[in-house]
Amino acid sequence: MQLLVAVLCLVSFVNGGVLINEVNTEVPGASVNNAQYIELYNTDSEDVVLNNYSIALVGNDEKIYKAFYLDGYTIKGNDYLVLGHDGVKNVMLVFKDDGDVISSDAEIKVQGNAIVLYYGREIWAGQIASSAFMVDAIVHDNGGRNDVGLLALLTPQQNAVHEDSDFSERDDESMSRCGGTTQAANYQFTLAVSTPGEVNDCTTGVTGRPRIAPVEAQGPTDIIINEVEADNPKQDEQEFIELKNLGAMEKSLDQYTLVLYAGNRATPSAYNVIPLTGQTIGANGYFVIGSSQVPNADLTFRWVRNNLRNEVGGVALYYGKETQLRIGMPVTRISMVDAIAYTTTSRSLKGYYGQKLKNFINLFIPGQTIIFEDPNHNGRENESMSRCFFTDPFKSSSYHLLDATPGKLNACGYSPKSIDKVIIGG
């Protein structure tokens, strides 16, 4: 297959850490649904200004029936913002229609509908919804049905979240995020006691039945590769790899190992293995592996220069015993939990080198892409491959060429110079 060069859209991603965290559409025994709400949660430790964010309520005809703009609001680090009817506990943004507060009728439809969080998209009632500029989404229903069209459009290959009004006879229930922090993941929601503006009740349901454990109790999916700098202007002294903890608790890195691969060899193989035994990463925090010249480095490379290979390379994160991981081994995907592939030279795109690149992609991250870290991208400043928007592992399209920010929030704001060049393999 011919390699294609794609120039991604100039999309402004201020923060990929804001998620839909809890939704309540029905009140048991009530004649009107006047206690509905949508709760957002900021998974990052820094405040996020919600300018350019919006929430769309989408009907089973795939059209937006209500649009809410969040301009002027700020959600603090690791905190909540509740949008709902007047009288809902901790509500900050009250449902309104033409300037009038809606407090006596349902605002969120309950049968075969969706809620979508957008960034940088103009939305209005009557517009057809899509996944473009989507940050997060949940497809929900109160009758046990799955709206095939909405699911395929917004959360493919999943079932809807079903809010059962008979879940509790005493307490109001909500659809609460308890299984992780992946965007557009209906399967990470469960029914639990309603807790607007507070920590979700993810351990025990209102009837005493066991519920899904909170994300902090889960396995290795909380740790992802967040930023990579593989090619500096001049001396290659600022190369680094940054990991991010998506969980709200400090985490041990004892069973994690980083492996660096040379992708331009006849048989792509590992040239460095970095066990992270004895290291920890803070709640919603970062862990930086870099040279002694890199700011905020938690673990330093042995050498100051040229620690990450130029041309075609890859960085992989593994979880489990590192005894099977060794220098010189061919690519293995066993126990791999995240990876990013890159090239630092345009000659990798053509002929003999292009074929090597394609072979490496198919071995290393099949179905994904390889990122061109252009050393001339940012002139004098140091650039990095920075994760923005999505936190899904192995998702190459999440990375953008931006100013390097080791140990800090990625610089995912709009810049006229931020054109991301990605080579598509197959």
Side-chain angles (χ1 to χ4, degrees), residues 237 239-241 258 260 272-276 279 287-305 307-308:
E237 295 178 344
E239 296 172 336
F240 68 89
I241 301 161
L258 280 169
L260 310 184
N272 199 358
V273 175
I274 308 169
L276 301 180
Q279 307 295 328
F287 187 89
V288 178
I289 305 96
S291 80
S292 57
Q293 305 300 307
V294 173
N296 302 315
D298 299 288
L299 183 66
T300 56
F301 290 123
R302 180 178 180 182
W303 312 110
V304 173
R305 298 175 182 171
N307 289 290
L308 276 72

Side-chain angles (χ1 to χ4, degrees), residues 110-217:
V110 296
Q111 295 185 347
N113 296 275
I115 299 167
V116 185
L117 177 65
Y118 286 111
Y119 178 82
R121 172 176 172 168
E122 185 178 359
I123 60 173
W124 60 87
Q127 182 186 43
I128 298 294
S130 77
S131 60
F133 300 93
M134 185 176 80
V135 178
D136 197 11
I138 175 175
V139 178
H140 61 92
D141 187 84
N142 74 338
R145 295 174 294 272
N146 284 310
D147 189 285
V148 176
L150 275 180
L151 289 168
L153 179 68
L154 301 172
T155 58
Q157 300 181 330
Q158 299 179 56
N159 292 320
V161 185
H162 300 297
E163 183 169 12
D164 181 3
S165 59
D166 296 325
F167 178 74
S168 169
E169 295 180 357
R170 297 177 295 106
D171 299 301
D172 193 9
E173 84 291 338
S174 71
M175 295 172 281
S176 298
R177 180 183 288 275
C178 289
T181 55
T182 303
Q183 286 95 334
N186 297 329
Y187 59 88
Q188 293 184 347
F189 285 81
T190 188
L191 289 188
V193 175
S194 175
T195 58
E198 300 173 353
V199 176
N200 289 354
D201 178 9
C202 295
T203 54
T204 306
V206 292
T207 61
R209 292 176 285 176
R211 310 309 304 169
I212 299 174
V215 65
E216 293 78 24

Side-chain angles (χ1 to χ4, degrees), residues 225-291:
I225 298 170
N226 196 55
E227 188 177 359
V228 174
E229 163 53 296
D231 191 16
N232 305 144
K234 299 181 180 178
Q235 299 297 324
D236 278 349
E237 295 178 344
Q238 298 286 320
E239 296 172 336
F240 68 89
I241 301 161
E242 178 191 84
L243 305 180
K244 178 165 176 61
N245 180 6
L246 300 176
M249 294 178 65
E250 182 179 87
K251 221 170 165 53
S252 169
L253 296 177
D254 276 352
Q255 295 195 59
Y256 288 88
T257 304
L258 280 169
V259 177
L260 310 184
Y261 286 99
N264 57 351
R265 294 173 177 170
T267 300
S269 58
Y271 65 87
N272 199 358
V273 175
I274 308 169
L276 301 180
T277 304
Q279 307 295 328
T280 59
I281 184 170
N284 297 292
Y286 307 95
F287 187 89
V288 178
I289 305 96
S291 80

Side-chain angles (χ1 to χ4, degrees), residues 34-38 82-88 91-96 101-102 107-108:
N34 60 355
Q36 297 178 324
Y37 65 86
I38 302 162
V82 178
L83 168 77
H85 281 111
D86 190 24
V88 171
V91 67
M92 293 183 65
L93 198 163
V94 177
F95 287 147
K96 294 183 179 181
V101 174
I102 302 296
E107 189 78 353
I108 307 173

Side-chain angles (χ1 to χ4, degrees), residues 323-378:
T323 52
Q324 64 178 347
L325 305 173
R326 65 189 187 282
I327 293 174
M329 72 175 189
V331 172
T332 178
R333 291 180 54 79
I334 297 173
S335 301
M336 186 188 291
V337 294
D338 199 8
I340 175 175
Y342 64 87
T343 181
T344 61
T345 174
S346 59
R347 77 172 183 169
S348 300
L349 312 182
K350 300 177 182 179
Y352 171 74
Y353 295 101
Q355 186 60 46
K356 280 189 173 182
L357 182 150
K358 183 171 68 172
N359 292 341
F360 178 56
I361 297 170
N362 292 336
L363 280 172
F364 189 58
I365 47 171
Q368 290 296 313
T369 62
I370 190 164
I371 300 168
F372 177 25
E373 186 181 357
D374 183 355
N376 300 314
H377 167 77
N378 208 16

